[in-house]
Amino acid sequence: MGSAVSSIVPLVEQSTVTTWDGTELPSKRLLVSQETFQSESASLLVFLHGLGERMSDYDDTSTSVNLQNVLGKGSLPPANIPSIILFDGRGHGNSSGWEGKGPEQFHWKYLSLDMLQVA
């Protein structure tokens, strides 16, 4: 008989980050436990979707086998399990406030600032 595989169902903490230029980026933090969020030793993975996508395209990801492997499948103490942040990049999904600000806002140097602010 095979052993049962336990599944980690992360807590989802949703928020909206206002960036340096007033653009609002919806985000979600996936946590195994509140202890993970409060730990300074846990890693933080920031995930930005591909072009033409939005973070909601990855809603099923929280129960996928790949994410379970990243979260440690219970093999790590909760304080060491990484939390994962998903967010809608400017111009995608439910982001707002970017309209009319010109094409330079989509340069990698500004998109990287967005990612740092979300983290």
Side-chain angles (χ1 to χ4, degrees), residues 8-50:
I8 298 171
V9 178
L11 305 167
V12 178
E13 179 182 274
Q14 297 194 33
S15 66
T16 299
V17 175
T18 302
T19 65
W20 56 275
D21 68 349
T23 298
E24 294 190 349
L25 304 176
S27 67
K28 303 180 198 184
R29 182 183 293 246
L30 305 177
L31 304 161
V32 173
S33 71
Q34 198 62 27
E35 188 178 346
T36 302
F37 180 72
Q38 296 167 348
S39 171
E40 292 187 20
S41 64
S43 299
L44 174 64
L45 306 173
V46 180
F47 180 81
L48 177 59
H49 55 73

Side-chain angles (χ1 to χ4, degrees), residues 6 8 32 68-82:
S6 64
I8 298 171
V32 173
Q68 301 303 316
N69 288 333
V70 169
L71 295 176
K73 281 188 168 177
S75 62
L76 296 171
N80 294 338
I81 296 173

Side-chain angles (χ1 to χ4, degrees), residues 38-103:
Q38 296 167 348
S39 171
E40 292 187 20
S41 64
S43 299
L44 174 64
L45 306 173
V46 180
F47 180 81
L48 177 59
H49 55 73
L51 295 174
E53 297 180 318
R54 58 180 59 206
M55 76 174 163
S56 62
D57 292 340
Y58 295 88
D59 283 346
D60 292 338
T61 303
S62 64
T63 57
S64 77
V65 172
N66 289 333
L67 182 64
Q68 301 303 316
N69 288 333
V70 169
L71 295 176
K73 281 188 168 177
S75 62
L76 296 171
N80 294 338
I81 296 173
S83 59
I84 299 172
I85 294 180
L86 300 144
F87 73 100
D88 278 336
R90 61 177 59 230
H92 294 265
N94 293 317
S95 65
S96 63
W98 56 270
E99 302 87 342
K101 292 185 179 171

